[in-house]
Amino acid sequence: ISTLRVVISINIIISASTHSSSVKGKERSLTLPAEAKSSLFVLVDTKAVLLCPPDNSTAFLVIWTISPRDQPPCTRAHRRDNNETSERNCTDERISWESRPDQNPALQIDPVAITHDGCYRCEVAAADGLFGHTYYLRVLVPPKVTLFRGSDGTIVCRAAAGKPSAQIFWTPEGDCHTEEEPLGNGTVTVESKCRWEGRQVSNVSCSVSHVTGNKNLNFTLNQGVITLEFPASDLLIILYVKFSLFLVILVTVGFIYFKKANDCRISL
Ligand SMILES: *[C@@H]1O[C@H](CO)[C@@H](O)[C@H](O)[C@H]1NC(C)=O
Ligand SMILES: *[C@@H]1O[C@H](CO)[C@@H](O)[C@H](O)[C@H]1NC(C)=O
Ligand SMILES: *[C@@H]1O[C@H](CO)[C@@H](O)[C@H](O)[C@H]1NC(C)=O
Ligand SMILES: *[C@@H]1O[C@H](CO)[C@@H](O)[C@H](O)[C@H]1NC(C)=O
Ligand SMILES: *[C@@H]1O[C@H](CO)[C@@H](O)[C@H](O)[C@H]1NC(C)=O
Ligand SMILES: *[C@@H]1O[C@H](CO)[C@@H](O)[C@H](O)[C@H]1NC(C)=O
């Protein structure tokens, strides 16, 4: 990279001197390099355009240094004087010039993937100075939100594979247990399990808060219907006990009736 930088710097100096010599008075207006930084948040699977901010009509050299996290950096450059476009180590076909670099030095990423998180630096040599703009790109992934009854009877609100991780809030607040599970590709699944035991709560609402947008889901608890509070096996036992009691009563009543009938017969 350093050798490339040296070559580029020499180019800039040569170009600058030729440029300024051809335009009298411009030499004095050469200023110190200007630096800018910005954070850029982009949605996964969309198209992102990174502008190279200074007025491009006077830029005679534009260099993009593309450094996605966990990948070797690549550079794309365009020289206006000889209309030469070059690239080094650029293998990702989703990253390219937005249109024609001789007209517009903007870079485009289409479509944005989770691996495009990283640093994108644009350097411009123009008649009135050198400019650098660094973008810190962060890819956002909206989580998939679901609300359901778990196998253990808790109500589960899940925000799956979001980036960054989502936050879960309940209305009304319950007896909750929340866990975060990183999925390895930068996304995180957040799951919150709640109970509202011993309280008069019929409807609960799960709110998922995320930079890509918030989501609300409601769930109606089937309280008041007593049978749902017993597992099937318990219900069977209750039925069995009731049925047995019924049988005992029936036999007793029958026995008494039979005895009475016998008594009658005897008395007759
Ligand atoms: C290009 O990539 C190779 C490894 O993939 C690395 O060794 C080299 O330094 C890179 N060159 C530049 C200019 O980034
Ligand atoms: C760059 O130049 C092109 C054509 O010369 C023009 O259409 C475009 O608006 C310019 N972009 C900026 C950022 O000045
Ligand atoms: C620069 O080169 C490209 C092709 O490499 C060409 O399409 C374009 O017209 C050229 N621009 C100028 C201003 O010569
Ligand atoms: C991240 O990984 C999880 C689990 O493998 C997967 O379900 C999800 O779709 C991935 N997300 C992206 C944006 O690649
Ligand atoms: C619970 O929600 C149902 C519909 O989902 C609604 O009919 C009922 O009135 C709600 N109950 C309360 C206490 O908000
Ligand atoms: C969920 O319930 C809240 C009040 O508890 C209500 O404002 C909202 O409209 C409900 N949402 C849906 C999708 O039913």
Side-chain angles (χ1 to χ4, degrees):
I1 296 169
S2 58
T3 49
L4 181 77
R5 279 277 153 76
V6 169
V7 171
I8 287 163
S9 307
I10 290 166
N11 275 347
I12 292 167
I13 290 160
I14 292 166
S15 305
S17 55
T18 51
H19 194 90
S20 52
S21 60
S22 62
V23 184
K24 275 190 179 174
K26 272 277 175 186
E27 211 168 0
R28 247 171 270 128
S29 68
L30 273 170
T31 50
L32 284 170
E35 280 292 327
K37 287 176 181 161
S38 56
S39 289
L40 197 62
F41 296 93
V42 291
L43 263 183
V44 72
D45 293 330
T46 60
K47 171 177 155 177
V49 173
L50 281 62
L51 298 173
C52 199
D55 175 17
N56 58 314
S57 60
T58 60
F60 47 79
L61 180 68
V62 176
I63 305 158
W64 277 101
T65 306
I66 299 152
S67 320
R69 200 175 292 157
D70 310 326
Q71 282 167 59
C74 109
T75 53
R76 286 182 181 278
H78 180 258
R79 263 180 71 169
R80 187 176 287 266
D81 59 349
N82 59 3
N83 191 21
E84 194 180 83
T85 308
S86 60
E87 59 178 64
R88 191 183 277 241
N89 272 6
C90 298
T91 50
D92 192 337
E93 283 166 10
R94 294 166 294 191
I95 305 176
S96 61
W97 295 101
E98 194 210 359
S99 53
R100 286 169 47 180
D102 58 318
Q103 288 180 353
N104 186 355
L107 193 75
Q108 88 170 19
I109 311 174
D110 187 23
V112 173
I114 226 167
T115 50
H116 287 139
D117 254 359
C119 197
Y120 296 74
R121 179 167 167 75
C122 156
E123 286 164 295
V124 167
D128 47 353
L130 303 173
F131 299 92
H133 194 109
T134 305
Y135 291 95
Y136 298 100
L137 188 89
R138 287 200 57 194
V139 181
L140 307 175
V141 184
K144 284 173 202 73
V145 181
T146 47
L147 180 61
F148 55 94
R149 188 185 289 274
S151 53
D152 57 356
T154 56
I155 307 302
V156 183
C157 187
R158 181 186 288 162
K163 183 178 177 298
S165 59
Q167 280 179 294
I168 296 178
F169 304 97
W170 291 91
T171 320
E173 274 181 42
D175 181 8
C176 301
H177 177 72
T178 304
E179 272 183 6
E180 290 198 5
E181 185 199 354
L183 300 181
N185 57 6
T187 65
V188 180
T189 293
V190 184
E191 193 174 87
S192 182
K193 295 179 169 186
C194 295
R195 288 179 193 279
W196 289 266
E197 268 161 11
R199 280 195 265 167
Q200 290 297 315
V201 174
S202 56
N203 291 346
V204 296
S205 163
C206 156
S207 306
V208 174
S209 167
H210 195 257
V211 274
T212 58
N214 302 331
K215 206 160 194 178
N216 266 301
L217 289 177
N218 293 349
F219 196 93
T220 304
L221 305 174
N222 290 313
Q223 281 180 353
V225 185
I226 213 106
T227 49
L228 277 179
E229 300 203 334
F230 296 101
S233 55
D234 287 4
L235 266 183
L236 274 181
I237 291 166
I238 292 165
L239 280 180
Y240 181 74
V241 168
K242 281 187 173 172
F243 187 66
S244 307
L245 269 174
F246 180 68
L247 267 185
V248 168
I249 291 164
L250 204 70
V251 167
T252 315
V253 169
F255 185 73
I256 292 166
Y257 182 79
F258 183 72
K259 257 200 135 181
K260 272 199 170 165
N262 271 357
D263 290 349
C264 285
R265 211 173 289 159
I266 289 162
S267 65
L268 277 170

